């Protein structure tokens, strides 16, 4: 029996189904854009053979008859309200970023507990949340807010909502870790020629759910165990989105990630961009341990969690083994002590990093390692390097650019979308630099 404060009268009659999806979303499905499954809330896979395309400027002179106008309209699609709750909730974004005003408006227009039931099943009761839940506090606050919205309208009572809150209240005290689940999206064009506008211009990228996700166990504290590396930072989300927009850059290549943290960017690339080998690296023991657990969580088995960079002969031995695609390696990498020979053994074609330019004290070590990378290939060809940074302190970032100039490392800013699919509540100032080492 539920306590009196959590009981409600059983609603009379069956729940009414969720209203039809927006016409545009339906039209997109008819045109081959597969979207989300409206029953399960799980993203459907996008069409095969799609190719990435950067969004051009301009608009079609014949919008009514132009197939590309559909893609432009879908450049920032608005799926059903429960799905917008789902994306934010599963990633445990701040509750203020969830579309509460739209929910209030929907309930005022047509009070319907079926809408709240749909949101409940796409969030708290979604299989991903059941298996890898956000913190109990986050779920309690979410359910409490959902109940407030229900009780502020004339919608029929929903026992399941109160019962779910009662179950969460029974859980043990807060853990120092929680889970976040990021639904992956590829920005694709199905057929750029057939979607060309009458005036010859091409449409922008269309977000396509990839049908996959990245699940992570993260720290609930900004600093834990003397490190900030146990949670996902904004630049990692931006870098992952940029990688998903440019999969050909990573396909069939060996990728070295510096400062991998708990693994979001690398796991997203492994799942979506088909690298030949992905080398995760960090230097903090607790971060490396959590990284290994998150890789296992996402079905990636490292070939060996190393205490130091393997030798070239060891790398050649691993190369000959029959292993998963992509091959995944975890390496303990200290920027200050790593040698050119050790870096050569990794044979990286491309090097990426996110949120590694945050402390003036580590900038010189980072640049010193980049200089070693410049000679870390047997054919003397340096790898391509891309570094994403959240500019929290402009002075620190300018110091990094100045030290790059002193070291003779040329750089250029990579154009990227101003908004990040994985961030809903805020869009921090993130810049991606390509370095020529």
């Amino acid at each position: 029996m539920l306590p009196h404060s959590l009981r409600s009268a059983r609603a009379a009659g069956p729940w009414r189904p969720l209203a039809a999806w927006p016409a545009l979303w339906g039209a997109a499905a008819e045109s081959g854009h597969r979207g989300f499954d409206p029953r399960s809330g799980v993203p459907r896979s996008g069409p095969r053979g799609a190719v990435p395309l950067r969004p051009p400027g301009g608009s079609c002179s014949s919008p009514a008859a132009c197939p590309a106008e559909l893609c432009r309209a879908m450049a920032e699609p608005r799926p059903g309200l429960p799905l917008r709750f789902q994306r934010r909730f599963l990633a445990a974004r701040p509750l203020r970023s969830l579309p509460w005003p739209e929910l209030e408006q929907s309930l005022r227009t047509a009070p319907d507990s079926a809408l709240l039931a749909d949101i409940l099943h796409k969030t708290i009761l979604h299989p991903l949340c059941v298996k890898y839940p956000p913190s109990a506090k986050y779920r309690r606050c979410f359910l409490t807010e959902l109940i407030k919205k229900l009780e502020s309208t004339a919608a029929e009572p929903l026992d399941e909502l109160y019962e779910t809150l009662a179950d969460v209240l029974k859980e043990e005290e807060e853990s120092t870790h929680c889970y976040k689940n990021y639904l992956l999206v590829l920005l694709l064009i199905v057929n750029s020629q057939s979607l060309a506008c009458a005036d010859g211009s091409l449409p922008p990228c269309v977000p396509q759910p990839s049908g996959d996700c990245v699940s992570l166990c993260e720290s609930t504290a900004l600093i834990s165990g003397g490190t900030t590396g146990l949670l996902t930072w904004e630049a990692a989300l931006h870098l992952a989105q940029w990688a998903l927009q440019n999969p050909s850059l990573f396909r069939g290549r060996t990728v070295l990630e510096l400062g991998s943290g708990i693994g979001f960017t690398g796991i997203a690339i492994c799942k979506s961009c088909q690298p030949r080998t992905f080398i995760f690296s960090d230097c903090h023991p607790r971060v490396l341990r959590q990284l290994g657990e998150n890789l296992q969580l996402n079905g990636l088995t490292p070939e060996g969690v190393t205490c130091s960079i393997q030798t070239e002969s060891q790398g050649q031995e691993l190369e000959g083994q029959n292993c998963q695609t992509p091959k995944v390696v975890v390496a303990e990498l200290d920027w200050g002590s790593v040698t050119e020979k050790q870096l050569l053994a990794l044979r990286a074609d491309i090097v990426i990093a996110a949120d590694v330019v945050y402390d003036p004290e580590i900038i010189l070590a980072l640049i010193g390692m980049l200089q070693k990378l410049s000679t870390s290939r047997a054919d003397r060809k340096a790898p391509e390097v891309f570094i994403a940074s959240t500019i929290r302190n402009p002075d620190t970032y300018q110091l990094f650019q100045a030290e790059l100039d002193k070291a003779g490392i040329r750089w250029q800013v990579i154009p990227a979308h101003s908004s990040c699919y994985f961030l809903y509540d805020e869009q921090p100032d993130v810049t991606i630099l390509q370095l020529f080492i």
Side-chain angles (χ1 to χ4, degrees):
M1 175 68 70
L2 290 172
H4 179 73
S5 60
L6 296 179
R7 291 203 305 269
S8 65
R10 175 71 65 180
W15 287 339
R16 295 187 295 277
L18 182 65
W21 280 30
L24 176 60
W25 199 251
E30 293 174 3
S31 67
H33 304 290
R34 302 174 64 187
F36 283 77
D37 187 314
R39 294 181 298 277
S40 66
V42 176
R44 294 172 174 157
S45 297
R48 295 181 182 273
V51 295
L53 183 69
R54 287 189 180 179
S59 59
C60 181
S61 57
S62 305
C66 179
E69 285 305 306
L70 173 62
C71 291
R72 285 201 173 91
M74 289 178 60
E76 293 186 8
R78 295 185 66 79
L81 184 60
L83 295 176
R84 297 204 293 280
F85 269 94
Q86 180 188 68
R87 293 176 182 177
R88 293 160 170 77
F89 175 86
L90 291 179
R93 298 307 302 168
L95 288 178
R96 66 177 181 275
S97 74
L98 275 62
W100 301 110
E102 294 177 59
L103 175 59
E104 292 174 345
Q105 179 61 39
S106 295
L107 292 174
R108 281 196 298 266
T109 302
D112 189 357
S113 59
L115 173 58
L116 293 166
D118 199 6
I119 292 174
L120 180 64
H121 280 266
K122 284 182 171 59
T123 54
I124 294 281
L125 300 181
H126 188 279
L128 269 176
C129 181
V130 173
K131 190 172 184 179
Y132 304 124
S135 70
K137 179 180 179 181
Y138 184 86
R139 285 175 285 142
R140 285 198 304 268
C141 292
F142 173 79
L143 286 167
T144 300
E145 191 65 25
L146 209 57
I147 289 172
K148 288 180 181 177
K149 304 307 180 190
L150 170 66
E151 294 180 343
S152 66
T153 70
E156 298 170 348
L158 184 60
D159 282 359
E160 190 175 27
L161 185 56
Y162 293 90
E163 291 165 357
T164 303
L165 176 59
D167 290 339
V168 174
L169 290 172
K170 295 175 186 176
E171 293 187 16
E172 297 179 358
E173 292 297 318
E174 285 297 310
S175 168
T176 57
H177 287 76
C178 67
Y179 291 97
K180 295 182 180 180
N181 302 281
Y182 298 89
L183 302 180
L184 295 182
V185 160
L186 302 178
L187 299 185
L188 306 170
I189 282 295
V190 178
N191 186 326
S192 61
Q193 295 303 316
S194 64
L195 291 175
C197 297
D199 60 8
S201 64
L202 291 175
C205 301
V206 177
Q208 290 292 312
S210 73
D212 212 336
C213 74
V214 174
S215 297
L216 299 176
C217 181
E218 300 193 2
S219 171
T220 56
L222 291 179
I223 301 177
S224 179
T227 178
T228 59
L230 293 174
L231 69 164
T232 301
W233 293 91
E234 293 88 348
L237 301 174
H238 276 264
L239 184 59
Q241 175 168 303
W242 175 78
L244 267 58
Q245 291 173 239
N246 298 275
S248 60
L249 184 64
F250 302 90
R251 189 174 297 118
R253 307 182 79 187
T254 295
V255 183
L256 167 63
E257 183 180 18
L258 306 176
S260 298
I262 56 174
F264 174 79
T265 302
I267 294 171
I269 290 174
C270 286
K271 289 193 171 191
S272 303
C273 301
Q274 300 176 315
R276 181 173 63 89
T277 302
F278 197 99
I279 304 166
F280 295 83
S281 72
D282 213 292
C283 65
H284 196 285
R286 284 194 59 180
V287 173
L288 288 168
R289 185 165 59 250
Q290 190 62 57
L291 170 61
E293 293 177 8
N294 282 334
L295 291 175
Q296 298 281 356
L297 203 66
N298 288 274
L300 299 172
T301 303
E303 293 201 351
V305 179
T306 63
C307 294
S308 61
I309 296 295
Q310 61 199 12
T311 66
E312 185 172 3
S313 60
Q314 289 172 324
Q316 291 170 344
E317 180 181 344
L318 283 176
E319 188 68 26
Q321 294 178 359
N322 182 20
C323 56
Q324 66 180 342
T325 302
K327 181 173 71 176
V328 173
V329 177
V330 175
E332 181 179 344
L333 180 58
D334 187 311
W335 300 346
S337 60
V338 66
T339 66
E340 291 182 14
K341 182 178 179 180
Q342 290 171 327
L343 291 172
L344 175 63
L346 299 177
R347 292 169 300 201
D349 300 303
I350 182 170
V351 177
I352 61 172
D355 262 329
V356 294
V357 183
Y358 59 89
D359 185 345
E361 295 184 3
I362 66 172
I363 287 178
L364 290 179
L366 173 60
I367 291 179
M369 195 201 59
L370 292 174
Q371 290 175 310
K372 296 173 187 175
L373 276 169
S374 67
T375 56
S376 67
R377 293 200 37 134
D379 57 8
R380 314 308 291 179
K381 180 182 177 183
E384 300 176 61
V385 180
F386 300 89
I387 296 182
S389 303
T390 303
I391 305 178
R392 301 180 181 88
N393 186 333
D395 292 339
T396 301
Y397 193 66
Q398 290 168 9
L399 173 63
F400 175 58
Q401 293 175 325
E403 292 297 335
L404 287 174
D405 293 337
K406 284 183 184 178
I409 299 176
R410 295 184 299 111
W411 53 270
Q412 68 177 13
V413 177
I414 297 295
H417 280 276
S418 59
S419 61
C420 177
Y421 175 85
F422 300 111
L423 290 170
Y424 305 97
D425 52 312
E426 57 187 19
Q427 297 297 334
D429 186 6
V430 175
T431 299
I432 300 177
L433 292 185
Q434 179 177 9
L435 308 185
F436 302 92
I437 57 176

